[in-house]
Coordinates of all heavy atoms in Angstrom, one line a residue:
N11 N 0.8 -1.2 0.0 CA 0.0 0.0 0.1 C 0.8 1.2 0.0 O 1.7 1.4 0.9 CB -1.0 0.0 1.3 CG -2.0 -1.0 1.1 OD1 -2.4 -1.4 0.1 ND2 -2.3 -1.6 2.4
R12 N 0.6 2.0 -1.0 CA 1.4 3.4 -1.1 C 0.4 4.4 -1.5 O -0.6 4.1 -2.2 CB 2.6 3.2 -1.9 CG 2.3 3.1 -3.4 CD 3.7 3.0 -4.2 NE 3.3 2.7 -5.6 CZ 3.3 3.7 -6.6 NH1 3.5 4.9 -6.3 NH2 3.1 3.3 -7.8
R13 N 0.8 5.6 -1.2 CA -0.1 6.8 -1.6 C 0.4 7.2 -3.0 O 1.5 7.4 -3.2 CB 0.1 7.9 -0.7 CG -0.9 9.1 -1.0 CD -0.9 10.1 0.0 NE -1.5 9.8 1.3 CZ -2.9 9.8 1.5 NH1 -3.7 10.3 0.5 NH2 -3.4 9.4 2.6
L14 N -0.6 7.2 -4.0 CA -0.2 7.6 -5.3 C -0.3 9.0 -5.4 O -1.2 9.7 -4.9 CB -1.2 7.0 -6.2 CG -1.2 5.4 -6.4 CD1 -2.3 4.9 -7.2 CD2 0.2 5.0 -7.0
K15 N 0.6 9.6 -6.2 CA 0.6 11.0 -6.6 C 0.3 11.0 -8.1 O 1.0 10.5 -8.9 CB 1.9 11.6 -6.3 CG 2.3 11.7 -4.8 CD 3.5 12.5 -4.6 CE 3.7 12.6 -3.1 NZ 5.0 13.3 -2.7
G16 N -0.7 11.7 -8.4 CA -1.1 11.8 -9.9 C -1.0 13.3 -10.4 O -0.8 14.2 -9.7
T17 N -1.0 13.3 -11.7 CA -1.0 14.6 -12.4 C -2.3 14.6 -13.3 O -2.8 13.7 -13.8 CB 0.2 14.7 -13.3 OG1 0.3 13.6 -14.3 CG2 1.5 14.7 -12.5
K18 N -2.8 15.9 -13.4 CA -4.0 16.1 -14.2 C -3.7 15.7 -15.6 O -2.6 16.0 -16.1 CB -4.4 17.6 -14.1 CG -4.9 17.9 -12.8 CD -5.4 19.4 -12.9 CE -5.9 19.8 -11.4 NZ -6.4 21.2 -11.4
A19 N -4.6 15.1 -16.3 CA -4.5 14.7 -17.7 C -5.9 14.8 -18.4 O -6.9 14.8 -17.8 CB -4.1 13.2 -17.7
I20 N -5.8 14.9 -19.8 CA -6.9 14.9 -20.5 C -6.9 13.9 -21.6 O -5.9 13.7 -22.4 CB -7.0 16.3 -21.2 CG1 -7.3 17.4 -20.2 CG2 -8.2 16.3 -22.2 CD1 -7.2 18.8 -20.7
L21 N -8.0 13.1 -21.7 CA -8.1 12.1 -22.7 C -9.0 12.6 -23.8 O -10.1 12.9 -23.6 CB -8.7 10.8 -22.0 CG -8.9 9.6 -22.9 CD1 -7.7 9.1 -23.6 CD2 -9.6 8.5 -22.1
L22 N -8.4 12.6 -25.0 CA -9.1 13.1 -26.2 C -9.9 12.1 -26.9 O -9.5 10.9 -26.9 CB -8.2 13.9 -27.2 CG -7.4 15.0 -26.6 CD1 -6.5 15.5 -27.7 CD2 -8.4 16.2 -26.3
G23 N -11.1 12.4 -27.5 CA -11.8 11.4 -28.3 C -12.7 10.5 -27.5 O -13.3 9.6 -28.0
Y24 N -12.9 10.8 -26.2 CA -13.7 10.0 -25.3 C -14.7 10.9 -24.6 O -14.4 12.2 -24.5 CB -12.8 9.2 -24.3 CG -12.1 8.0 -24.9 CD1 -11.0 8.1 -25.6 CD2 -12.6 6.7 -24.7 CE1 -10.4 7.1 -26.2 CE2 -12.0 5.6 -25.3 CZ -10.8 5.8 -26.1 OH -10.2 4.8 -26.6
K25 N -15.8 10.3 -24.0 CA -16.7 11.0 -23.4 C -17.2 10.2 -22.2 O -17.2 9.1 -22.2 CB -18.0 11.3 -24.3 CG -19.1 12.0 -23.7 CD -20.2 12.2 -24.7 CE -21.5 12.9 -24.0 NZ -22.5 13.0 -24.8
K26 N -17.4 11.0 -21.0 CA -17.9 10.4 -19.8 C -19.4 10.3 -19.9 O -20.1 11.4 -20.3 CB -17.5 11.3 -18.6 CG -17.9 10.6 -17.3 CD -17.2 11.3 -16.2 CE -18.2 11.9 -15.2 NZ -17.6 12.6 -14.0
Y27 N -20.0 9.1 -19.8 CA -21.4 9.0 -19.9 C -22.1 9.0 -18.6 O -21.5 8.6 -17.5 CB -21.7 7.6 -20.6 CG -21.4 7.8 -22.2 CD1 -20.1 7.7 -22.7 CD2 -22.4 8.1 -23.0 CE1 -19.9 7.8 -24.0 CE2 -22.2 8.3 -24.3 CZ -20.8 8.2 -24.9 OH -20.7 8.3 -26.1
E28 N -23.4 9.4 -18.6 CA -24.2 9.4 -17.4 C -24.5 8.0 -16.9 O -24.7 7.8 -15.7 CB -25.5 10.1 -17.7 CG -25.3 11.7 -17.9 CD -24.5 12.3 -16.8 OE1 -24.8 12.1 -15.6 OE2 -23.6 13.1 -17.1
K29 N -24.6 7.0 -17.8 CA -24.9 5.6 -17.3 C -23.7 5.2 -16.5 O -22.5 5.7 -16.7 CB -25.1 4.7 -18.5 CG -24.0 4.6 -19.5 CD -24.4 3.7 -20.6 CE -23.3 3.6 -21.7 NZ -23.7 2.8 -22.8
R30 N -23.9 4.3 -15.5 CA -22.9 4.0 -14.6 C -22.7 2.5 -14.5 O -23.7 1.7 -14.7 CB -23.2 4.5 -13.2 CG -23.1 6.0 -13.3 CD -23.4 6.6 -11.9 NE -23.2 8.1 -11.9 CZ -22.0 8.7 -11.7 NH1 -21.0 8.0 -11.1 NH2 -21.9 10.0 -11.6
M31 N -21.6 2.1 -14.3 CA -21.3 0.6 -14.1 C -21.8 0.2 -12.7 O -21.5 0.9 -11.7 CB -19.8 0.2 -14.2 CG -19.5 -1.2 -14.1 SD -20.0 -2.2 -15.4 CE -19.1 -1.6 -16.7
M32 N -22.7 -0.8 -12.6 CA -23.3 -1.2 -11.3 C -24.0 -0.1 -10.6 O -23.9 0.0 -9.4 CB -22.2 -1.9 -10.5 CG -21.6 -3.2 -11.1 SD -20.4 -4.0 -10.0 CE -19.0 -3.0 -10.5
D33 N -24.5 0.8 -11.3 CA -25.3 2.0 -10.8 C -24.4 2.9 -9.9 O -24.9 3.6 -9.1 CB -26.5 1.6 -10.0 CG -27.5 0.9 -11.0 OD1 -27.7 1.4 -12.1 OD2 -28.2 0.0 -10.6
K34 N -23.1 2.7 -10.0 CA -22.2 3.5 -9.1 C -21.1 4.2 -9.8 O -20.7 5.3 -9.4 CB -21.6 2.4 -8.1 CG -20.9 2.9 -6.9 CD -20.6 1.8 -6.0 CE -19.9 2.4 -4.7 NZ -19.6 1.3 -3.8
Y35 N -20.3 3.5 -10.7 CA -19.1 4.1 -11.3 C -19.4 4.7 -12.5 O -19.9 4.0 -13.5 CB -18.1 2.9 -11.3 CG -17.8 2.3 -10.1 CD1 -18.3 1.0 -9.8 CD2 -17.1 2.9 -9.0 CE1 -18.1 0.3 -8.6 CE2 -16.9 2.3 -7.8 CZ -17.4 1.0 -7.6 OH -17.2 0.4 -6.4
P36 N -18.9 5.9 -12.8 CA -19.0 6.5 -14.2 C -18.2 5.8 -15.1 O -17.2 5.2 -14.8 CB -18.6 7.9 -13.9 CG -17.7 7.9 -12.7 CD -18.2 6.8 -11.9
I37 N -18.6 5.8 -16.4 CA -17.8 5.2 -17.5 C -17.4 6.1 -18.5 O -18.1 7.2 -18.8 CB -18.6 3.9 -18.0 CG1 -19.9 4.4 -18.7 CG2 -18.8 2.9 -17.0 CD1 -20.6 3.3 -19.4
I38 N -16.4 5.8 -19.3 CA -16.0 6.6 -20.5 C -16.2 5.6 -21.7 O -15.9 4.4 -21.6 CB -14.6 7.1 -20.4 CG1 -13.5 6.0 -20.3 CG2 -14.5 8.1 -19.2 CD1 -12.2 6.5 -20.4
E39 N -16.5 6.2 -22.8 CA -16.6 5.4 -24.0 C -16.0 6.3 -25.2 O -16.0 7.5 -25.1 CB -17.9 5.0 -24.4 CG -18.5 3.9 -23.4 CD -20.0 3.6 -23.7 OE1 -20.6 4.4 -24.4 OE2 -20.3 2.6 -23.2
K40 N -15.5 5.7 -26.2 CA -15.0 6.4 -27.4 C -16.1 7.3 -27.9 O -17.3 6.8 -28.0 CB -14.6 5.4 -28.5 CG -13.8 6.0 -29.6 CD -12.4 6.1 -29.3 CE -11.6 6.4 -30.6 NZ -10.5 7.3 -30.3
S41 N -15.9 8.5 -28.4 CA -16.9 9.3 -28.9 C -16.7 9.6 -30.4 O -15.6 9.6 -30.9 CB -16.8 10.7 -28.2 OG -17.7 11.6 -28.8
D42 N -17.8 9.8 -31.1 CA -17.7 10.2 -32.5 C -17.3 11.7 -32.7 O -16.9 12.1 -33.7 CB -19.1 10.0 -33.2 CG -19.4 8.5 -33.3 OD1 -18.5 7.7 -33.4 OD2 -20.6 8.2 -33.3
D43 N -17.4 12.4 -31.6 CA -17.0 13.9 -31.6 C -15.5 14.0 -31.4 O -15.1 13.7 -30.3 CB -17.9 14.6 -30.5 CG -17.6 16.0 -30.5 OD1 -16.7 16.5 -31.2 OD2 -18.2 16.7 -29.6
A44 N -14.8 14.5 -32.4 CA -13.3 14.6 -32.3 C -13.0 15.6 -31.1 O -11.8 15.5 -30.6 CB -12.8 15.0 -33.6
K45 N -13.9 16.4 -30.7 CA -13.6 17.5 -29.7 C -13.8 16.9 -28.3 O -13.6 17.6 -27.3 CB -14.4 18.7 -30.0 CG -14.0 19.4 -31.2 CD -14.8 20.7 -31.5 CE -14.5 21.4 -32.8 NZ -15.3 22.5 -33.1
A46 N -14.4 15.8 -28.3 CA -14.8 15.2 -26.9 C -13.5 15.0 -26.1 O -12.5 14.6 -26.6 CB -15.5 13.9 -27.0
M47 N -13.7 15.2 -24.8 CA -12.5 15.0 -23.9 C -13.0 14.7 -22.5 O -14.1 15.0 -22.2 CB -11.6 16.2 -23.9 CG -12.2 17.5 -23.3 SD -11.0 18.8 -23.4 CE -11.0 19.2 -25.0
V48 N -12.1 13.9 -21.8 CA -12.4 13.6 -20.4 C -11.2 14.0 -19.6 O -10.1 13.7 -19.9 CB -12.7 12.0 -20.2 CG1 -12.8 11.6 -18.8 CG2 -13.8 11.6 -21.1
S49 N -11.5 14.7 -18.6 CA -10.4 15.2 -17.6 C -10.3 14.1 -16.6 O -11.2 13.4 -16.1 CB -10.7 16.5 -17.0 OG -10.9 17.4 -17.9
G50 N -9.0 13.8 -16.1 CA -8.8 12.8 -15.2 C -7.5 13.0 -14.5 O -6.8 14.1 -14.6
I51 N -7.0 11.9 -13.9 CA -5.7 12.0 -13.2 C -4.9 10.8 -13.7 O -5.4 9.6 -13.8 CB -5.9 11.8 -11.6 CG1 -6.8 12.8 -11.1 CG2 -4.5 11.8 -10.9 CD1 -6.2 14.3 -11.1
L52 N -3.6 11.0 -14.0 CA -2.7 10.1 -14.6 C -1.8 9.6 -13.4 O -1.1 10.5 -12.6 CB -1.8 10.6 -15.6 CG -0.7 9.8 -16.2 CD1 -1.3 8.6 -16.9 CD2 0.1 10.6 -17.1
Y53 N -1.7 8.3 -13.1 CA -0.9 7.7 -12.1 C 0.2 6.9 -12.7 O -0.1 6.2 -13.7 CB -1.8 6.9 -11.1 CG -2.7 7.7 -10.4 CD1 -4.1 7.7 -10.7 CD2 -2.4 8.5 -9.3 CE1 -5.1 8.4 -10.1 CE2 -3.4 9.2 -8.6 CZ -4.7 9.1 -9.0 OH -5.7 9.7 -8.3
K54 N 1.3 7.0 -12.2 CA 2.5 6.0 -12.6 C 2.4 4.8 -11.6 O 2.4 5.0 -10.4 CB 3.8 6.7 -12.5 CG 4.9 5.8 -13.0 CD 6.2 6.6 -13.1 CE 7.2 5.6 -13.8 NZ 8.4 6.4 -14.3
V55 N 2.2 3.7 -12.2 CA 2.1 2.4 -11.4 C 3.1 1.4 -11.9 O 3.4 1.4 -13.1 CB 0.7 1.9 -11.3 CG1 -0.3 2.8 -10.6 CG2 0.2 1.4 -12.7
S56 N 3.5 0.4 -11.1 CA 4.4 -0.7 -11.5 C 3.6 -1.7 -12.3 O 2.3 -1.7 -12.2 CB 5.0 -1.3 -10.3 OG 4.0 -2.0 -9.6
N57 N 4.3 -2.6 -12.9 CA 3.6 -3.8 -13.6 C 2.7 -4.6 -12.6 O 1.7 -5.0 -12.9 CB 4.6 -4.6 -14.4 CG 5.1 -3.9 -15.6 OD1 4.5 -3.1 -16.2 ND2 6.3 -4.3 -16.1
Y58 N 3.3 -4.8 -11.5 CA 2.6 -5.6 -10.4 C 1.3 -4.8 -10.0 O 0.2 -5.5 -9.9 CB 3.4 -5.8 -9.3 CG 2.7 -6.6 -8.2 CD1 2.3 -8.0 -8.3 CD2 2.3 -6.0 -7.0 CE1 1.6 -8.6 -7.4 CE2 1.6 -6.7 -6.0 CZ 1.3 -8.0 -6.2 OH 0.6 -8.7 -5.3
E59 N 1.4 -3.5 -9.8 CA 0.2 -2.8 -9.4 C -0.8 -2.7 -10.5 O -2.0 -2.8 -10.3 CB 0.6 -1.3 -9.1 CG 1.3 -1.3 -7.8 CD 2.0 0.2 -7.6 OE1 2.6 0.7 -8.5 OE2 2.1 0.5 -6.4
L60 N -0.3 -2.7 -11.8 CA -1.3 -2.8 -13.0 C -2.1 -4.1 -13.0 O -3.3 -4.1 -13.2 CB -0.6 -2.5 -14.2 CG -1.4 -2.3 -15.5 CD1 -2.4 -1.1 -15.3 CD2 -0.4 -2.0 -16.7
Y61 N -1.2 -5.1 -12.7 CA -1.9 -6.5 -12.6 C -3.0 -6.5 -11.5 O -4.1 -7.0 -11.8 CB -0.8 -7.5 -12.3 CG -1.3 -8.9 -11.8 CD1 -1.9 -9.7 -12.7 CD2 -1.2 -9.2 -10.5 CE1 -2.3 -11.0 -12.3 CE2 -1.7 -10.5 -10.0 CZ -2.2 -11.3 -11.0 OH -2.7 -12.5 -10.5
K62 N -2.7 -6.0 -10.4 CA -3.6 -5.9 -9.3 C -5.0 -5.0 -9.6 O -6.0 -5.4 -9.3 CB -3.1 -5.4 -8.0 CG -1.9 -6.2 -7.4 CD -2.4 -7.4 -6.9 CE -2.9 -7.3 -5.4 NZ -3.3 -8.5 -4.8
I63 N -4.6 -4.0 -10.4 CA -5.8 -3.1 -10.8 C -6.6 -3.9 -11.8 O -7.9 -3.9 -11.7 CB -5.3 -1.8 -11.5 CG1 -4.6 -0.9 -10.5 CG2 -6.5 -1.1 -12.1 CD1 -3.7 0.2 -11.0
D64 N -6.0 -4.7 -12.7 CA -6.7 -5.6 -13.6 C -7.7 -6.6 -12.9 O -8.9 -6.8 -13.3 CB -5.9 -6.3 -14.6 CG -5.2 -5.5 -15.7 OD1 -5.7 -4.4 -15.9 OD2 -4.2 -5.9 -16.3
L65 N -7.1 -7.2 -11.8 CA -7.9 -8.0 -11.0 C -9.1 -7.4 -10.4 O -10.2 -7.9 -10.3 CB -7.1 -8.7 -9.9 CG -6.0 -9.7 -10.5 CD1 -5.1 -10.1 -9.2 CD2 -6.5 -10.9 -11.2
Y66 N -8.8 -6.2 -9.9 CA -9.9 -5.4 -9.2 C -11.0 -5.0 -10.3 O -12.2 -5.2 -9.9 CB -9.3 -4.1 -8.5 CG -10.4 -3.2 -8.0 CD1 -10.9 -3.5 -6.7 CD2 -11.0 -2.1 -8.7 CE1 -11.9 -2.7 -6.2 CE2 -11.9 -1.4 -8.1 CZ -12.4 -1.6 -6.8 OH -13.3 -0.8 -6.4
E67 N -10.6 -4.6 -11.5 CA -11.6 -4.1 -12.4 C -12.4 -5.4 -13.0 O -13.4 -5.2 -13.6 CB -10.9 -3.4 -13.6 CG -10.3 -2.0 -13.1 CD -11.2 -1.1 -12.6 OE1 -12.5 -1.3 -12.6 OE2 -10.9 0.0 -12.0
S68 N -11.8 -6.6 -12.8 CA -12.4 -7.8 -13.2 C -12.8 -7.8 -14.7 O -12.2 -7.1 -15.5 CB -13.7 -8.1 -12.4 OG -14.8 -7.2 -12.7
L69 N -13.8 -8.7 -15.1 CA -14.2 -8.7 -16.5 C -15.2 -7.6 -16.8 O -15.6 -7.5 -18.0 CB -14.9 -10.1 -16.7 CG -13.9 -11.3 -16.4 CD1 -14.8 -12.6 -16.6 CD2 -12.8 -11.3 -17.4
A70 N -15.5 -6.8 -15.9 CA -16.5 -5.6 -16.2 C -15.8 -4.6 -17.2 O -16.6 -3.9 -17.9 CB -17.0 -5.0 -15.0
Y71 N -14.5 -4.5 -17.0 CA -13.8 -3.5 -17.9 C -12.8 -4.1 -18.7 O -12.2 -5.1 -18.4 CB -13.1 -2.5 -16.9 CG -14.0 -1.6 -16.2 CD1 -14.5 -2.0 -14.9 CD2 -14.6 -0.4 -16.7 CE1 -15.4 -1.2 -14.2 CE2 -15.5 0.4 -16.0 CZ -15.9 0.0 -14.8 OH -16.8 0.7 -14.0
T72 N -12.3 -3.4 -19.8 CA -11.2 -3.8 -20.6 C -10.2 -2.7 -20.6 O -10.5 -1.5 -20.7 CB -11.7 -4.0 -22.0 OG1 -12.7 -5.1 -22.2 CG2 -10.5 -4.4 -23.0
R73 N -8.9 -3.1 -20.4 CA -7.9 -2.1 -20.4 C -7.3 -1.9 -21.8 O -7.0 -2.9 -22.5 CB -6.7 -2.5 -19.4 CG -5.6 -1.6 -19.4 CD -4.5 -1.9 -18.4 NE -4.2 -3.2 -18.2 CZ -3.0 -3.8 -18.6 NH1 -2.1 -3.1 -19.3 NH2 -2.8 -5.0 -18.3
I74 N -7.3 -0.6 -22.2 CA -6.7 -0.3 -23.5 C -5.8 0.8 -23.4 O -5.7 1.6 -22.4 CB -7.9 0.2 -24.4 CG1 -8.6 1.5 -24.0 CG2 -8.9 -1.0 -24.7 CD1 -9.5 2.1 -25.0
Q75 N -4.9 0.9 -24.4 CA -3.9 2.0 -24.4 C -4.5 3.1 -25.2 O -5.0 3.0 -26.3 CB -2.5 1.5 -24.8 CG -1.4 2.5 -24.6 CD -0.1 2.0 -25.0 OE1 0.1 1.6 -26.1 NE2 0.8 1.9 -24.0
A76 N -4.3 4.3 -24.7 CA -4.8 5.6 -25.4 C -3.7 6.6 -25.2 O -2.8 6.6 -24.3 CB -6.0 6.0 -24.7
T77 N -3.8 7.6 -26.1 CA -2.8 8.7 -26.1 C -3.5 9.9 -25.5 O -4.6 10.3 -25.9 CB -2.3 9.1 -27.5 OG1 -1.7 7.9 -28.0 CG2 -1.2 10.1 -27.5
L78 N -2.9 10.6 -24.5 CA -3.5 11.7 -23.8 C -3.2 13.0 -24.7 O -2.3 13.0 -25.6 CB -2.9 11.8 -22.5 CG -3.1 10.6 -21.5 CD1 -2.4 10.9 -20.2 CD2 -4.6 10.4 -21.3
K79 N -3.8 14.1 -24.2 CA -3.6 15.4 -25.0 C -2.1 15.7 -24.9 O -1.6 16.3 -25.8 CB -4.4 16.4 -24.3 CG -4.4 17.8 -25.0 CD -5.3 18.8 -24.4 CE -5.2 20.1 -25.1 NZ -6.0 21.1 -24.4
S80 N -1.5 15.3 -23.8 CA 0.0 15.7 -23.7 C 0.9 14.8 -24.5 O 2.2 14.9 -24.4 CB 0.4 15.5 -22.2 OG 0.2 14.1 -21.8
S81 N 0.3 13.8 -25.3 CA 1.0 12.9 -26.2 C 1.6 11.7 -25.4 O 2.2 10.8 -25.9 CB 2.1 13.5 -26.9 OG 1.6 14.4 -27.9
V82 N 1.3 11.6 -24.0 CA 1.7 10.5 -23.2 C 0.7 9.4 -23.4 O -0.5 9.6 -23.7 CB 1.7 10.9 -21.7 CG1 1.9 9.8 -20.8 CG2 2.7 12.0 -21.4
K83 N 1.3 8.1 -23.6 CA 0.4 7.1 -23.7 C 0.1 6.5 -22.3 O 0.9 6.5 -21.4 CB 1.1 5.9 -24.5 CG 1.3 6.3 -25.9 CD 1.8 5.1 -26.8 CE 2.1 5.6 -28.1 NZ 1.6 5.0 -29.2
A84 N -1.2 6.1 -22.1 CA -1.7 5.7 -20.9 C -2.7 4.5 -20.9 O -3.3 4.4 -22.0 CB -2.4 6.9 -20.2
W85 N -2.8 3.7 -19.9 CA -3.9 2.7 -19.9 C -5.1 3.3 -19.3 O -5.0 4.1 -18.4 CB -3.4 1.6 -18.9 CG -2.2 0.8 -19.4 CD1 -0.9 0.8 -18.8 CD2 -2.2 -0.1 -20.6 NE1 -0.1 -0.1 -19.6 CE2 -0.8 -0.5 -20.6 CE3 -3.0 -0.4 -21.5 CZ2 -0.4 -1.5 -21.6 CZ3 -2.7 -1.2 -22.6 CH2 -1.3 -1.8 -22.6
V86 N -6.2 3.0 -20.0 CA -7.6 3.4 -19.5 C -8.4 2.2 -19.5 O -8.3 1.3 -20.3 CB -8.1 4.6 -20.3 CG1 -7.3 5.8 -20.3 CG2 -8.3 4.2 -21.7
Y87 N -9.5 2.3 -18.7 CA -10.5 1.2 -18.7 C -11.8 1.6 -19.1 O -12.3 2.6 -18.8 CB -10.6 0.7 -17.2 CG -9.4 0.0 -16.6 CD1 -8.3 0.7 -16.1 CD2 -9.3 -1.4 -16.7 CE1 -7.2 0.1 -15.6 CE2 -8.2 -2.1 -16.3 CZ -7.1 -1.3 -15.7 OH -6.1 -2.0 -15.3
I88 N -12.3 0.8 -20.1 CA -13.6 1.0 -20.7 C -14.5 -0.2 -20.4 O -13.9 -1.3 -20.1 CB -13.5 1.3 -22.2 CG1 -12.9 0.1 -23.0 CG2 -12.7 2.6 -22.5 CD1 -12.9 0.2 -24.5
P89 N -15.8 0.0 -20.4 CA -16.6 -1.1 -20.1 C -16.4 -2.3 -21.2 O -16.2 -2.0 -22.3 CB -18.1 -0.6 -20.3 CG -17.9 0.9 -20.2 CD -16.5 1.2 -20.7
S90 N -16.4 -3.4 -20.7 CA -16.4 -4.6 -21.5 C -17.9 -4.9 -22.1 O -18.7 -5.0 -21.2 CB -15.9 -5.9 -20.8 OG -14.6 -5.7 -20.4
M91 N -18.1 -4.9 -23.3 CA -19.4 -5.1 -23.8 C -19.5 -6.4 -24.5 O -18.6 -6.7 -25.3 CB -19.7 -4.0 -24.8 CG -19.7 -2.6 -24.2 SD -21.1 -2.4 -23.0 CE -20.7 -0.9 -22.4
D92 N -20.5 -7.1 -24.2 CA -20.6 -8.6 -24.8 C -21.3 -8.4 -26.1 O -22.2 -7.7 -26.4 CB -21.4 -9.5 -23.9 CG -20.7 -9.6 -22.7 OD1 -20.2 -8.7 -22.0 OD2 -20.6 -10.8 -22.2

């Protein structure tokens, strides 16, 4: 357990939707609007921490790599759709 320090980041081409996972967690999805963006926090984590996050997110989410407005590549979680 460690306290994470993050930096503000903007994900382009995605939109935060009002629908929620399990009626609790907001979700993001790819948007047709090129100007769409989602503000968030970027955290640097180890491979082991990323593995633990994957376990936590379970099969409800899929981890994908996306490029932020700053040109940094980051992992983001989007809903897994059947």
Side-chain angles (χ1 to χ4, degrees):
N11 292 329
R12 70 178 173 98
R13 182 173 291 274
L14 294 173
K15 292 183 181 178
T17 56
K18 291 181 180 180
I20 296 174
L21 178 60
L22 298 174
Y24 285 78
K25 181 178 177 182
K26 185 168 122 178
Y27 284 84
E28 293 304 314
K29 60 184 175 182
R30 295 181 174 263
M31 184 67 70
M32 296 182 276
D33 295 326
K34 190 173 183 181
Y35 305 104
I37 60 173
I38 61 169
E39 292 179 343
K40 191 90 169 137
S41 175
D42 292 332
D43 181 358
K45 295 179 183 178
M47 65 179 76
V48 176
S49 297
I51 305 292
L52 175 66
Y53 296 103
K54 185 171 184 169
V55 297
S56 69
N57 286 336
Y58 178 71
E59 290 168 323
L60 190 57
Y61 165 75
K62 298 292 276 185
I63 296 165
D64 285 343
L65 291 177
Y66 176 80
E67 297 298 354
S68 71
L69 298 176
Y71 294 92
T72 300
R73 176 169 43 105
I74 62 166
Q75 192 172 58
T77 303
L78 303 175
K79 184 177 180 182
S80 64
S81 297
V82 170
K83 292 189 186 232
W85 293 114
V86 298
Y87 289 87
I88 60 171
S90 295
M91 299 295 176
D92 296 45

